[in-house]
Amino acid sequence: MAIAGTIFGRLLKAALTLLAIAVLNFFLIHAAPGDPAVVLAGEAGAADEQMIADLRAQFGLDQPLYVQLYRYVGNILTLDLGYSFRQGAPVLDLILERLPATLILTLTAFWISLLAGVALGVAASARVGKFTDSLITGTALLFYATPLYWAALMAVLVFSVQLGWLPGFGYETVGSGYGGFDRAIDILKHLILPALTLGLFFMAVYMRMTRASMLEVAQQDFVKTARAKGLAPSVIRRRHILRNALLPVVTLAGLQAGQLVGGAVLTETVFAWPGIGRLMFESLAARDYNTILGVFLVSALMVIIFNIITDIVYRLIDPRIGQKA
Amino acid sequence: MSVLSITDMSIALPSGADRPFAVKDCTYEIAKGEILCVVGESGSGKSMTANALMGLLPEGVTVAKGTAEFGGKDILQVSEIEQRALRGDRIAMIFQEPMTALNPLMRIGDQIAEVFEAHKRHTPSERKARALDLVREVGLPDPEKIIRAYPFQLSGGQRQRAMIAMSLALEPELLIADEPTTALDVTTQAQILKLILDLRERRGMAVMFITHDFGVVAEIADRVIVMRHGEIVERGTATEVLENPQHDYTKRLLEAIPTGLVPQSVAVEKAPALEVRHLKKTYHTGGGLFRPRRDVRAIDDVSLTIAKGEVLGLVGESGSGKSTLGRAVVRLVTPDAGEILVGGTDMAALSESDLRAARHKVQMVFQDPYASLNPRQRVMRALTDGPMAKGVPKDAARARARELMETVGLGAEAVDRFPHEFSGGQRQRIGIARALAMDPELIIADEAVSALDVSIQAQVLDLLRDLRRQFDLSILFITHDLRVAAQLCDRIAVMQRGQLVEIGPVSDVFLNPQHEYTQKLLAAVPGGGWGKAAE
Amino acid sequence: MSLWSRFATNRAAVIGLIVLIAVIIIALLAPVMFPKGPWAMVQRPFLAPFDTDGLPLGTDTLGRNVLAGLIYGARVSLLVGLVSTVMALLIGVPLGAVAGFYGGWVDEIAMRFTEFFQTIPNFALAIVLVAILEPSLTSITISIAIVSWPPVARLVRAEVMSVTRREYVDAARLAGLSNLHILTRQVLPNTVSPIIVMASLMVATAILLESSLSFLGLGDPNIMSWGYQIGAARTVIRSAWWLSFFPGVAIVLTVLALNLIGEGLNDALNPHLTRKGKS
């Protein structure tokens, strides 16, 4: 009951957020230097006069601003993200075609970074002040300071160019004719480097949070109670400390989702991964604003969905939320 | 036959601490079925002994020497694994803060059953059944529901009962209770004390009860040890120590708690310093889109007056609305309805700007000595900001600040120091000086001595008594501690769930309480015996 | 113990400070060391590092001195990092302070607004902003500030809320002081420490963001930056690894130094937290 209410509340909020982003997009188009129709059509030359005139009519660019806003937001809410004159296809189609690749990449990177980050954080906190702790914390600090795209480039250089272990380019081997299981393995091989390098920074973030949170929870009274019961240290760490320490990590994971989706633009660019991030990069060079804004909107939508999921997860872990006695 | 016998134990603090030993050369024993109270103020080292016995000393703190014989072994020397086997099984412990001592994410039943699991007793289903029995034994209502509840769904007293159930699980020979009732309201405290006495009776276990409160000692102790700065200064049976203390320190602690005489009310002028009429304040909680709104009547139609030069004690348990009333009088809380007349001005009706000009009429002395002074400002600023905002010239305000610091016994030079250079009791003195600097018509003291150790408490109360005489102060003295109220106040008002249930002269209220709740409250005061003076 | 001596007990933080000072000095001296600027073509392209006198890090695809680019790049990184952080603080601190101090509907509105900006994937927003406003040093700095302020607002709000609940603030109200006076003199000074710590970490994040934007080709076309160097060399990574390697090392070192300083400041400014860990 409480959870149903929560989900409904969150969906309402999500819809409002999306609406606000649509409005933001609209004003961004108008903030861009030049004629909005030209802006939407992409760099001059991509669209002919007729197309631009059509655009004017479609968006009502001769009408007052609020009418334009109304039409634009209406279009977006009916999932009409406009047309990419550069690519010669509706923006929504372009995005939907590329979305699965991005989802595979970001979700893999997310799970790798979360699991590895939490595991390392727990390991470091268990040996706080010792060599293992210094090693883990030091490495995390290094990853935390490393630009995503540079880590990706260096990984390509070492593991692909020098060692030749893994492919450093693309989503699958082009023209291999693989099918079924072989194809899955092939994609997996292509996925390893992008997912790892995208996850590296976030792993450092989760590790630091987990470590700090474990150490803080370990100081709390109920841990002393658990020790006073005569429980073994490993049980105390798992059942009492870790479960409580994970709460802030879940919150952080939700907040970091946006960063992860944004980071995918860089990773996909380096690895020529055919996702929406790569689409955004290509559109940047082509000044295809309509596509850029479309990708922006969809990535915001991904973050919103992700936030709703973390919210629900949080409520499932923490009995205190949403059902006060 | 003694269950535990401690010989010559010293516990060393890490270097850089304020003294080398938390506990020094302590020797004592606890017999089977006996309740030993270890009494001391904060920093006396009383809890460290308990932690050492449980093998739960904080990092850096070590047992320097001595033995603690329990069940034929020196438990200070046994391995960590042996110690773990003892904990929760033969020695159990309960703590001060029931709010934080339970894992917030685990059901109560599971947390109790965990004790059996830790010592590999019984099957999982048996563990559950036994947890239920224990919950029943400690008198928790609706046991089936409680074992499935999470800690946040229980009140403080219920949580402490759950903790006790947990500690009883394996029928320990020794129960160590570290200030288990300090965080509880007085009526709840009385129930928990009774529960511990009952359980001792039924189970015959020894109890080491650590407390700072001689009232509690009078209620439950068989024997008493008084500790100060890590050393035992006095020991004996409860009667010996309470009625015929030998050491000066014990005497002072006992004097600080009046268990006998109720002071006679001072006759006061009729002119009121404060008149509260039909004051109301309701808090709304929840009330989101999908949650039902809940109303809490913090102040429910309260009327009272304080005469010029009178000290009115406002007592009640947590959640009674006494603090809200105090904050409403100074308009830190805006009431929903009613009047607050201070010298003819209705504070409740003033606009923001008029209010700022009238603020000086009522001043407040706060509870927490560590939060009531801005850590980044010198005392001088704290004492002169207000007067200067009210229009007093800078030089006059500064001179007055020095004078007031003299008055509260800290010396004029102390104005140039920062708050962190003062102790808790000294900070409360500064807080009092700050209130006086505004020349208020009324002072609200909101639990002003509650955070202090008993001996410091007595000094601050003495100061308030002196100042009252010197400046003819009118004070609304808010406290949860009836014993403190009795020492200072002329009249007492009792609040319960937002309502004023009884108001009258101190001697009437204490010796002849009319309302049922007042009677209950007085009966719950540990080491009570208020009636002695009358008979 | 003074602030400095507490900071100095953290060896890593001191090393970080030394590295940062070195980077600042090098950045300031850039015009003296390379009067011709970073764009001058000095030799033939693709000279490997450590081979040629006067070109220790080799030349790039157009025969420009990689070392010169690196040193001029430091100027951009530090400038953008610093200015965008100051701008983010100018947005976040007042907003968070007002929200936390006044509470109620003011807080509600301010926090919804902040939450909205936090939901938007911030790197994607930065890309969109720079792309639409046309890449320039100003648009990059503004964009980074716009995506960086929400955590500041949240932190300041939480701190202000906690300080405002303290009794000395009640005492200040009872002294008849105005809200503005209480907020600026009693409350905000007691929230400075965590803001300083966050600001030092934000400079690091801003440097990473700037380099990422430049890497994607969204840098100011007239200014040499580390991200641009790496982005321009991306396609030739197989033949000329050093072109992307050295600027990356520069970024890592600078960002690492700032993070270490941030942690050192945190330990020095919030001694109670450190103590808690030890007891």
Side-chain angles (χ1 to χ4, degrees):
Chain A
M1 190 49 224
I3 286 201
T6 308
I7 295 174
F8 184 72
R10 287 299 322 232
L11 287 178
L12 193 75
K13 212 162 116 189
L16 288 174
T17 310
L18 213 55
L19 192 72
I21 292 174
V23 174
L24 179 72
N25 272 357
F26 174 79
F27 284 109
L28 283 173
I29 293 169
H30 280 265
D35 182 342
V38 178
V39 170
L40 287 174
E43 201 176 30
D48 59 34
E49 283 301 316
Q50 183 54 42
M51 279 174 167
I52 290 182
D54 286 349
L55 264 179
R56 278 219 179 79
Q58 188 194 345
F59 284 92
L61 288 175
D62 42 357
Q63 312 250 346
L65 204 62
Y66 67 91
V67 179
Q68 296 178 34
L69 176 64
Y70 177 77
R71 287 199 185 181
Y72 181 82
V73 172
N75 281 343
I76 285 188
L77 292 187
T78 53
L79 284 177
D80 177 3
L81 300 182
Y83 192 81
S84 166
F85 294 95
R86 276 269 150 185
Q87 313 249 10
V91 171
L92 184 68
D93 292 356
L94 288 173
I95 290 176
L96 286 180
E97 183 194 328
R98 308 259 192 139
L99 196 57
T102 296
L103 286 177
I104 290 176
L105 174 64
T106 48
L107 288 177
T108 312
F110 171 73
W111 282 111
I112 290 176
S113 61
L114 187 63
L115 294 178
V118 168
L120 289 172
V122 171
S125 74
R127 292 167 191 77
V128 66
K130 307 255 171 59
F131 175 73
T132 318
D133 179 32
S134 311
L135 187 72
I136 294 175
T137 334
T139 316
L141 211 55
L142 197 64
F143 289 161
Y144 197 63
T146 309
L148 272 179
Y149 58 89
W150 189 69
L153 280 173
M154 292 303 117
V156 170
L157 194 61
V158 174
F159 296 104
S160 188
V161 177
Q162 294 295 322
L163 300 171
W165 288 355
L166 290 162
F169 190 82
Y171 176 75
E172 56 188 320
T173 313
V174 182
S176 65
Y178 287 141
F181 186 69
D182 288 340
R183 183 168 180 237
I185 293 288
D186 185 46
I187 293 178
L188 196 65
K189 273 190 192 161
H190 281 83
L191 180 62
I192 292 175
L193 285 183
L196 278 181
T197 50
L198 177 56
L200 224 46
F201 175 83
F202 300 96
M203 188 188 78
V205 174
Y206 299 138
M207 179 267 146
R208 287 158 62 99
M209 186 79 204
T210 307
R211 180 178 176 276
S213 183
M214 289 286 287
L215 291 178
E216 200 184 310
V217 174
Q219 302 287 328
Q220 287 182 12
D221 288 353
F222 64 81
V223 176
K224 199 171 168 190
T225 305
R227 291 173 68 197
K229 284 176 186 173
L231 284 170
S234 59
V235 178
I236 296 177
R237 203 173 304 129
R238 193 183 62 236
R239 196 182 292 164
H240 291 275
I241 305 180
L242 180 59
R243 275 188 67 188
N244 282 281
L246 279 180
L247 292 177
V249 179
V250 172
T251 309
L252 186 76
L255 281 175
Q256 289 289 335
Q259 313 266 19
L260 198 70
V261 172
V265 179
L266 295 163
T267 314
E268 291 182 5
T269 301
V270 172
F271 289 99
W273 188 262
I276 58 172
R278 174 88 188 170
L279 178 65
M280 193 175 208
F281 176 69
E282 288 160 358
S283 311
L284 281 175
R287 294 170 161 262
D288 183 353
Y289 290 107
N290 223 352
T291 310
I292 296 176
L293 290 174
V295 172
F296 175 54
L297 189 85
V298 171
S299 42
L301 183 65
M302 279 168 67
V303 175
I304 291 171
I305 293 172
F306 199 85
N307 280 341
I308 295 178
I309 295 171
T310 20
D311 230 46
I312 294 169
V313 170
Y314 197 101
R315 267 152 218 266
L316 290 178
I317 309 179
D318 191 344
R320 285 166 294 189
I321 311 281
Q323 47 165 316
K324 282 265 178 227
Chain B
M1 194 196 91
S2 67
V3 172
L4 170 75
S5 106
I6 298 172
T7 316
D8 233 6
M9 180 164 76
S10 291
I11 298 171
L13 289 169
S15 57
D18 56 342
R19 60 172 194 251
F21 292 101
V23 174
K24 203 159 176 264
D25 303 326
C26 277
T27 302
Y28 55 88
E29 49 188 47
I30 307 176
K32 188 170 184 309
E34 177 184 59
I35 298 184
L36 172 77
C37 275
V38 180
V39 195
E41 295 186 293
S42 51
S44 63
K46 58 190 192 299
S47 296
M48 278 301 179
T49 319
N51 288 331
L53 294 175
M54 292 294 283
L56 297 177
L57 283 175
E59 217 170 302
V61 182
T62 50
V63 176
K65 67 180 174 73
T67 57
E69 209 181 290
F70 177 85
K73 270 185 185 162
D74 177 6
I75 55 170
L76 299 177
Q77 299 302 330
V78 299
S79 70
E80 163 65 21
I81 292 180
E82 274 178 279
Q83 217 161 28
R84 211 192 302 152
L86 283 174
R87 288 204 289 261
D89 183 357
R90 299 180 59 192
I91 309 179
M93 187 164 178
I94 54 177
F95 303 97
Q96 174 171 354
E97 275 298 335
M99 306 312 269
T100 53
L102 292 163
N103 185 340
L105 303 185
M106 261 174 102
R107 294 176 199 274
I108 300 291
D110 295 340
Q111 297 197 44
I112 297 175
E114 210 182 21
V115 184
F116 299 115
E117 188 204 317
H119 298 277
K120 304 201 170 53
R121 308 281 169 79
H122 314 303
T123 62
S125 60
E126 258 174 30
R127 288 174 192 157
K128 270 200 179 136
R130 278 173 192 263
L132 189 64
D133 289 344
L134 284 163
V135 165
R136 211 169 272 137
E137 181 172 0
V138 296
L140 279 165
D142 205 349
E144 271 88 8
K145 211 170 155 190
I146 290 277
I147 60 165
R148 270 178 288 120
Y150 288 98
F152 77 94
Q153 292 164 316
L154 273 59
S155 70
Q158 288 175 332
R159 290 184 210 200
Q160 200 58 293
R161 281 175 194 268
M163 279 296 292
I164 293 173
M166 212 178 282
S167 68
L168 294 177
L170 294 170
E171 314 212 355
E173 289 143 73
L174 174 65
L175 174 68
I176 300 175
D178 189 358
E179 303 252 13
T181 59
T182 308
L184 303 174
D185 272 331
V186 56
T187 48
T188 319
Q189 162 169 293
Q191 292 162 10
I192 297 289
L193 291 178
K194 187 171 175 302
L195 175 66
I196 291 176
L197 280 170
D198 284 354
L199 290 170
R200 188 267 300 257
E201 206 64 41
R202 250 182 287 157
R203 304 254 181 141
M205 63 187 174
V207 180
M208 177 173 166
F209 196 105
I210 297 163
T211 181
H212 69 282
D213 186 341
F214 265 108
V216 172
V217 174
E219 290 289 318
I220 67 165
D222 299 321
R223 281 195 311 124
V224 181
I225 281 174
V226 182
M227 287 188 72
R228 187 194 190 192
H229 302 325
E231 290 176 60
I232 296 176
V233 296
E234 177 143 8
R235 64 175 81 219
T237 65
T239 341
E240 280 166 13
V241 174
L242 287 171
E243 286 174 10
N244 190 19
Q246 299 301 310
H247 196 277
D248 281 347
Y249 179 66
T250 319
K251 283 181 194 162
R252 260 190 291 139
L253 283 184
L254 281 164
E255 273 165 20
I257 310 166
T259 44
L261 276 167
V262 172
Q264 274 308 301
S265 310
V266 185
V268 288
E269 306 168 46
K270 283 284 174 241
L274 168 74
E275 269 189 275
V276 173
R277 289 187 197 146
H278 303 293
L279 202 64
K280 287 179 186 161
K281 175 75 192 177
T282 305
Y283 284 112
H284 313 291
T285 55
L289 206 46
F290 306 99
R291 223 161 281 156
R293 206 172 76 163
R294 201 181 287 267
D295 292 347
V296 178
R297 287 196 194 145
I299 309 173
D300 191 3
D301 198 11
V302 169
S303 302
L304 54 80
T305 52
I306 299 178
K308 277 215 173 86
E310 184 191 32
V311 180
L312 176 71
L314 184 61
V315 300
E317 298 186 286
S318 55
S320 63
K322 58 185 191 304
S323 284
T324 312
L325 180 62
R327 294 174 70 80
V329 172
V330 292
R331 266 290 292 278
L332 284 173
V333 164
T334 304
D336 300 331
E339 293 171 4
I340 300 163
L341 297 170
V342 179
T345 319
D346 183 2
M347 298 288 284
L350 292 178
S351 70
E352 190 72 31
S353 56
D354 290 343
L355 176 66
R356 207 177 300 147
R359 284 283 197 201
H360 67 91
K361 289 170 180 245
V362 192
Q363 288 296 303
M364 201 158 182
V365 179
F366 298 92
Q367 171 173 8
D368 184 350
Y370 293 89
S372 60
L373 294 167
N374 187 338
R376 288 181 189 263
Q377 285 185 351
R378 288 175 207 277
V379 172
M380 182 58 103
R381 275 288 296 277
L383 297 187
T384 53
D385 261 359
M388 279 160 63
K390 154 182 137 172
V392 177
K394 190 175 179 186
D395 287 342
R398 294 175 76 93
R400 173 97 165 112
R402 291 209 172 79
E403 193 185 308
L404 281 168
M405 286 297 274
E406 218 46 271
T407 312
V408 297
L410 292 174
E413 325 75 59
V415 288
D416 294 320
R417 285 154 62 185
F418 282 100
H420 67 84
E421 298 171 62
F422 296 92
S423 69
Q426 289 173 325
R427 290 181 201 212
Q428 284 312 73
R429 287 169 190 263
I430 298 171
I432 293 168
R434 175 174 60 193
L436 291 175
M438 300 292 277
D439 293 318
E441 291 173 30
L442 175 72
I443 289 181
I444 316 273
D446 187 2
E447 301 276 11
V449 297
S450 303
L452 306 174
D453 272 331
V454 183
S455 51
I456 312 291
Q457 212 172 47
Q459 293 166 11
V460 175
L461 285 172
D462 279 343
L463 173 68
L464 278 174
R465 249 188 305 261
D466 284 351
L467 292 174
R468 177 203 174 175
R469 225 172 292 130
Q470 206 176 333
F471 297 101
D472 195 27
L473 296 176
S474 318
I475 303 177
L476 176 62
F477 190 87
I478 301 169
T479 180
H480 70 282
D481 191 336
L482 288 146
R483 293 169 297 187
V484 170
Q487 290 182 74
L488 187 71
C489 304
D490 303 311
R491 285 191 305 147
I492 298 281
V494 183
M495 276 187 84
Q496 183 197 19
R497 284 190 225 110
Q499 290 176 325
L500 198 63
V501 297
E502 181 155 1
I503 182 165
V506 175
S507 43
D508 290 4
V509 172
F510 278 94
L511 304 181
N512 190 19
Q514 298 301 308
H515 195 275
E516 195 191 333
Y517 178 70
T518 317
Q519 291 162 2
K520 210 173 97 191
L521 214 53
L522 284 167
V525 171
W530 302 98
K532 278 181 200 160
E535 284 146 10
Chain C
M1 254 201 316
S2 75
L3 183 66
W4 168 247
S5 57
R6 279 204 303 264
F7 183 84
T9 55
N10 186 334
R11 232 186 314 150
V14 175
I15 294 174
L17 190 63
I18 292 170
V19 171
L20 182 68
I21 291 173
V23 174
I24 292 173
I25 292 173
I26 290 173
L28 290 175
L29 292 180
V32 182
M33 289 191 279
F34 299 96
K36 282 188 277 181
W39 302 99
M41 291 169 219
V42 291
Q43 254 288 6
R44 60 191 174 80
F46 293 110
L47 278 178
F50 315 121
D51 276 356
T52 319
D53 278 348
L55 293 169
L57 299 184
T59 56
D60 70 3
T61 48
L62 293 174
R64 295 173 297 215
N65 186 346
V66 174
L67 183 64
L70 212 56
I71 286 171
Y72 274 90
R75 296 163 77 93
V76 184
S77 290
L78 293 175
L79 188 70
V80 172
L82 200 68
V83 176
S84 66
T85 299
V86 170
M87 284 170 65
L89 291 176
L90 287 177
I91 308 172
V93 172
L95 194 76
V98 167
F101 189 70
Y102 290 97
W105 61 268
V106 177
D107 181 35
E108 192 70 22
I109 291 175
M111 280 304 108
R112 288 290 156 270
F113 186 66
T114 310
E115 228 173 65
F116 170 69
F117 270 90
Q118 231 173 359
T119 307
I120 301 176
N122 69 25
F123 185 57
L125 177 62
I127 291 176
V128 170
L129 285 173
V130 175
I132 285 191
L133 298 176
E134 301 285 310
S136 72
L137 207 53
T138 318
S139 71
I140 291 170
T141 311
I142 292 175
S143 304
I144 294 177
I146 287 178
V147 302
S148 309
W149 66 266
V152 182
R154 290 183 84 104
L155 173 83
V156 173
R157 170 181 177 265
E159 287 292 319
V160 165
M161 266 187 160
S162 125
V163 173
T164 304
R165 263 196 290 265
R166 272 174 223 167
E167 289 169 343
Y168 62 80
V169 175
D170 286 339
R173 283 188 212 279
L174 294 187
L177 303 178
S178 68
N179 278 331
L180 187 69
H181 186 282
I182 294 173
L183 181 56
T184 53
R185 305 276 183 81
Q186 305 272 354
V187 178
L188 281 178
N190 284 299
T191 64
V192 165
S193 308
I195 297 176
I196 289 177
V197 172
M198 182 175 245
S200 69
L201 299 175
M202 279 170 66
V203 176
T205 314
I207 289 177
L208 283 178
L209 270 174
E210 185 277 330
S211 81
S212 303
L213 288 170
S214 303
F215 172 78
L216 290 179
L218 290 173
D220 190 319
N222 302 311
I223 293 175
M224 181 61 83
S225 76
W226 294 337
Y228 165 80
Q229 287 187 298
I230 301 175
R234 178 171 67 86
T235 46
V236 294
I237 180 120
R238 280 155 210 275
S239 49
W241 57 272
W242 63 91
L243 294 183
S244 29
F245 179 74
F246 292 113
V249 171
I251 297 173
V252 172
L253 277 181
T254 312
V255 172
L256 190 61
L258 280 160
N259 284 337
L260 290 173
I261 293 170
E263 288 196 349
L265 282 174
N266 191 28
D267 293 351
L269 288 170
N270 306 319
H272 57 282
L273 291 177
T274 335
R275 226 184 299 133
K276 202 170 79 185
K278 278 177 193 156
S279 70

